Amino acid sequence: MRPRVTTTAALVWLFMASAASAQALLVGVAAPLSGPSAILGKQIEAGTGLAAEANGIELKTVDDACTADGGAVAAREFAAAKVNIVVGFLCTEAIEAAMPILKDAGIPVITIGVRTESLTDRRAKTGWPVYRLGPRGDDERNAIASTLTRLWQNELFAIIDDGTIYGREIAETLRAAAEQAALKPVFTDTFRPQLDNQIGMIGRLKKAGATHVFAGGDGDDIAIMGRDAAQLQAGIVFAGGENLRTPPGDVPYALGTLMIAPPEWADVADPKVLAAFATQKIVPDGYTLPAFAAVEIAKAASSLSESSGKPLTEALTGQDLTTAIGPIRFDAKGDLSQSPYRVFRFDGTRFAPLESN
């Protein structure tokens, strides 16, 4: 009987070891839980907390304060705790201070809010194992350029901007893309922002024959242009970037106004996950759903790493990873392999996906 007892004990030990291994995933969460960005940090905390509960994952949450010092402190805590992966980080200062420490500890990071292009562009030089679950800084202007040169290739279009760095960079990218596509705007200019009306600009656009206008600027200015164009019967369709996501002031957007932006994640999220948010009385806005998805990615990549014997960084690269907000794939630099930007059209109440997109 002795061998049977030994065999049984061995099987029990293996089962317990297997269970322990399955529960061994420890995810670090870096979020600004103090200071002016704390409200966003709380969104990360809520999303990751719900995901951890749903997936049986242990979290170690640290306040990075959106500062370099906070990022370094958080990284040292994660390294000491031997977390498997870190998610979160909204601020460039915090993640850039954290990455050298986390790289040395062999801990990959999924950032859900840092858009700084150099973070991933320098990967070959820095070797930082960082993955970006969100847009790059240049994604918006590149998406606007590629989208509008396709949609407006047979239209009389104009390009205007408000003179800010944001507006000017997008307008210049669109101009360059149009030129490369052998398209020429009928009018280009800079408008003065925050005026009560834009009658003068609309008059010049109408005289130039523009029927479609991209305006690099705030939603309020684009809403006023749409109103004034309607009053002058100019027949102009306006388009803008994700600044239009913020509701304008007293003047609503004109019917048909186009917005190039990522979707509202709650509009595309898994209904079961949204129901879980509702049960916990968590509003699925801001960074809550991306934070939830980041934990799902951490779990999926960890399982893939264990089953394949490959490092976690390889499991995170070039694989379709299922999340509550849809499949996510990171390229070799750690950026999203597909742009999250889409085209939306204002239907009088909200921005709805453009059917032809």
Side-chain angles (χ1 to χ4, degrees):
M1 297 296 293
R2 196 100 178 142
R4 292 181 66 183
V5 172
T6 303
T7 301
T8 302
L11 289 172
V12 170
W13 183 85
L14 285 171
F15 174 79
M16 292 176 65
S18 176
S21 175
Q23 296 174 356
L25 184 62
L26 176 59
V27 177
V29 179
L33 301 176
S34 61
S37 298
I39 188 172
L40 303 179
K42 293 295 183 183
Q43 293 174 353
I44 294 177
E45 190 174 38
T48 55
L50 193 58
E53 183 179 343
N55 290 278
I57 293 171
E58 185 180 352
L59 300 181
K60 179 177 177 58
T61 302
V62 181
D63 178 12
D64 67 21
C66 258
T67 64
D69 288 343
V73 168
R76 285 192 285 269
E77 287 197 36
F78 293 140
K82 295 183 174 7
V83 304
N84 301 96
I85 189 170
V86 173
V87 303
F89 285 116
L90 296 181
C91 300
T92 301
E93 297 85 353
I95 196 170
E96 288 192 339
M99 284 313 305
I101 299 168
L102 295 173
K103 174 195 170 186
D104 289 345
I107 300 172
V109 175
I110 301 173
T111 173
I112 63 174
V114 178
R115 296 195 177 196
T116 306
E117 295 141 45
S118 60
L119 183 67
T120 48
D121 285 347
R122 292 181 296 162
R123 189 185 190 113
K125 180 179 180 180
T126 63
W128 289 351
V130 60
Y131 301 83
R132 193 196 312 269
L133 182 57
R136 290 166 49 93
D138 55 1
D139 276 350
E140 180 183 16
R141 55 182 182 267
N142 289 337
I144 288 170
S146 62
T147 298
L148 294 185
T149 51
R150 172 174 56 85
L151 289 179
W152 292 356
Q153 57 183 320
N154 297 315
E155 307 292 352
L156 298 173
F157 67 93
I159 304 172
I160 59 176
D161 67 83
D162 63 1
T164 63
I165 294 176
Y166 167 81
R168 190 165 55 246
E169 284 186 344
I170 295 181
E172 287 297 335
T173 302
L174 177 54
R175 287 189 191 104
E179 183 177 352
Q180 190 171 8
L183 303 175
K184 185 176 181 180
V186 297
F187 182 84
T188 61
D189 202 354
T190 299
F191 65 88
R192 189 175 169 190
Q194 299 181 347
L195 297 179
D196 291 335
N197 72 77
Q198 292 285 352
I199 295 293
M201 174 57 69
I202 299 303
R204 292 194 291 276
L205 288 166
K206 185 178 180 180
K207 184 178 180 180
T211 58
H212 293 70
V213 176
F214 173 78
D218 288 341
D220 282 337
D221 291 321
I222 295 174
I224 288 172
M225 288 182 192
R227 178 203 63 190
D228 293 349
Q231 290 177 352
L232 293 178
Q233 298 182 337
I236 295 174
V237 174
F238 285 91
E242 60 187 299
N243 272 1
L244 274 67
R245 180 74 74 196
T246 303
D250 296 333
V251 180
Y253 293 119
L255 183 68
T257 298
L258 300 179
M259 174 181 70
I260 295 88
E264 291 277 19
W265 296 122
D267 291 340
V268 299
D270 184 335
K272 293 180 180 178
V273 172
L274 293 177
F277 271 76
T279 299
Q280 297 296 323
K281 297 182 179 179
I282 299 173
V283 180
D285 61 0
Y287 290 106
T288 54
L289 281 165
F292 188 101
V295 173
E296 290 183 304
I297 291 170
K299 180 182 179 181
S302 178
S303 297
L304 186 60
S305 175
E306 288 179 8
S307 63
S308 67
K310 296 179 179 179
L312 187 54
T313 50
E314 287 190 30
L316 283 164
T317 305
Q319 310 285 343
D320 281 333
L321 303 168
T322 302
T323 79
I325 57 175
I328 297 294
R329 178 188 286 252
F330 298 112
D331 64 19
K333 287 198 304 183
D335 289 319
L336 292 175
S337 61
Q338 290 189 335
S339 171
Y341 284 82
R342 303 290 181 266
V343 186
F344 300 85
R345 180 181 182 276
F346 190 69
D347 63 10
T349 303
R350 68 185 184 96
F351 281 99
L354 192 66
E355 292 182 359
S356 62
N357 186 42

